[in-house]
Amino acid sequence: MDESFANLQTSHLLGSVPAVISDDKKSTNVPIASVNEASPSANMQIFPPNQGNNARGYQTLETPIEGPEQQPPNNWKGFFNVYSYTQYFDVDTDVVLNRLMSSLYPTSGDFFNKIDANPDLYGLVWICTTLVFVFASLGNCATYLVKKRTDSNARWDFDVNYINLAASIIYGYAIIVPLAFYFSLRYMGSKADLLRFWCLWGYSLFIFVPASLPLLIPVEFLRWVIILLAGSASSCFVALNLRSYLETNNDLTVVMAAAFGLQMILSIFIKVWFFP
């Protein structure tokens, strides 16, 4: 081989292999930390690489990419879609029973703390529907017992209109009254949550379900005592829980008095129309 080619510089050629450097020419004792400081942007990568527009591609260990499955789902599908309201009925039996028992203790005033995580409309719908059938059936039975007590030969007819009247009064009260309080409080600048108000007023009517059974006793004085006790308990339940919820409101006395009075009016109406 011609020795003239031995002195040519070949480091610039593509694919050339650098010559072996002897140990005495190397820079010794180079700390590892200096290498890391020289390339701070270097980090490990996770395979597989990008395989399309929808693939994640390379990912760094420090900053994982959140996929669409980690975002909270949006269950709202429109006002006229039934599936939009399923989230308000997502309660089990234990939760409903606990809230029903809370409505029987009107002086606790902690109902909003119990429903804060998951206020529901299941109690409102279930209690109102139960009251409609209870008032329609027991109301007719009460009128039958009273009529047979005064005159055993008197004719008695089942009044189907009790169902329509009970549905209009109970559902109308449980929906319109919380709605009126909601808009009134928002107008006065107070905090208000319509869903929590519907939940509160719905469970406040539960006490009239067990109170309807002793109202069958054909004794007028005893009926008035029972309905007034039930109405007072329901009124205190609503008023005291509103006080705990609106404790910073200057118009608290007016709100509590209005809530208490409306519940008492409802209880008196139940006695006069369904258990005369």
Side-chain angles (χ1 to χ4, degrees):
M1 183 177 180
D2 193 354
E3 295 181 356
S4 61
F5 293 100
N7 296 324
L8 292 178
Q9 297 293 331
T10 59
S11 60
H12 66 281
L13 298 178
L14 182 63
S16 61
V17 180
V20 178
I21 302 174
S22 60
D23 294 336
D24 56 346
K25 294 183 180 181
K26 291 183 183 178
S27 59
T28 58
N29 300 326
V30 178
I32 299 177
S34 62
V35 178
N36 294 333
E37 292 176 359
S39 58
S41 61
N43 49 27
M44 298 181 65
Q45 304 291 335
I46 300 177
F47 285 90
N50 192 355
Q51 297 176 355
N53 295 329
N54 297 328
R56 295 185 178 181
Y58 290 104
Q59 305 171 33
T60 62
L61 292 177
E62 290 82 2
T63 56
I65 301 175
E66 293 186 0
E69 68 275 5
Q70 296 179 356
Q71 299 177 356
N74 186 8
N75 297 327
W76 185 256
K77 303 181 184 299
F79 287 98
F80 301 101
N81 195 319
V82 178
Y83 293 100
S84 300
Y85 305 95
T86 55
Q87 55 184 325
Y88 305 125
F89 295 84
D90 187 16
V91 288
D92 54 16
T93 305
D94 294 335
V95 173
V96 174
L97 289 177
N98 185 27
R99 296 176 180 182
L100 290 176
M101 294 302 297
S102 298
S103 66
L104 299 179
Y105 296 92
T107 58
S108 60
D110 60 345
F111 186 74
F112 280 111
N113 294 331
K114 294 183 177 181
I115 69 172
D116 185 61
N118 184 25
D120 68 283
L121 296 179
Y122 178 84
L124 183 145
V125 174
W126 179 81
I127 292 172
C128 291
T129 305
T130 304
L131 284 175
V132 169
F133 288 99
V134 167
F135 289 158
S137 57
L138 297 184
N140 278 283
C141 292
T143 56
Y144 171 80
L145 293 175
V146 171
K147 184 168 289 189
K148 289 300 180 180
R149 184 184 181 187
T150 56
D151 185 5
S152 59
N153 296 323
R155 182 180 176 180
W156 175 82
D157 295 324
F158 185 87
D159 193 354
V160 184
N161 293 325
Y162 273 26
I163 299 178
N164 298 330
L165 180 62
S168 302
I169 295 301
I170 299 302
Y171 277 107
Y173 181 87
I175 295 175
I176 296 176
V177 171
L179 193 64
F181 273 86
Y182 170 76
F183 284 113
S184 299
L185 291 172
R186 292 299 294 263
Y187 176 78
M188 292 186 294
S190 301
K191 63 177 182 178
D193 191 299
L194 182 58
L195 181 60
R196 286 172 171 79
F197 282 4
W198 273 334
C199 185
L200 172 67
W201 261 273
Y203 281 97
S204 70
L205 301 177
F206 172 71
I207 195 171
F208 293 108
V209 176
S212 301
L213 293 174
L215 289 176
L216 290 175
I217 302 173
V219 179
E220 189 67 11
F221 175 76
L222 183 59
R223 285 182 174 180
W224 276 107
V225 171
I226 293 171
I227 197 64
L228 290 178
L229 289 176
S232 299
S234 179
S235 301
C236 291
F237 175 75
V238 174
L240 294 179
N241 281 284
L242 280 178
R243 184 182 67 176
S244 63
Y245 185 71
L246 306 171
E247 55 186 0
T248 59
N249 189 5
N250 296 327
D251 301 321
L252 184 61
T253 304
V254 178
V255 174
M256 290 181 59
F260 189 93
L262 288 174
Q263 291 288 112
M264 291 301 299
I265 292 174
L266 176 65
S267 62
I268 295 173
F269 181 87
I270 292 172
K271 166 64 182 70
V272 171
W273 285 93
F274 298 104
F275 302 95

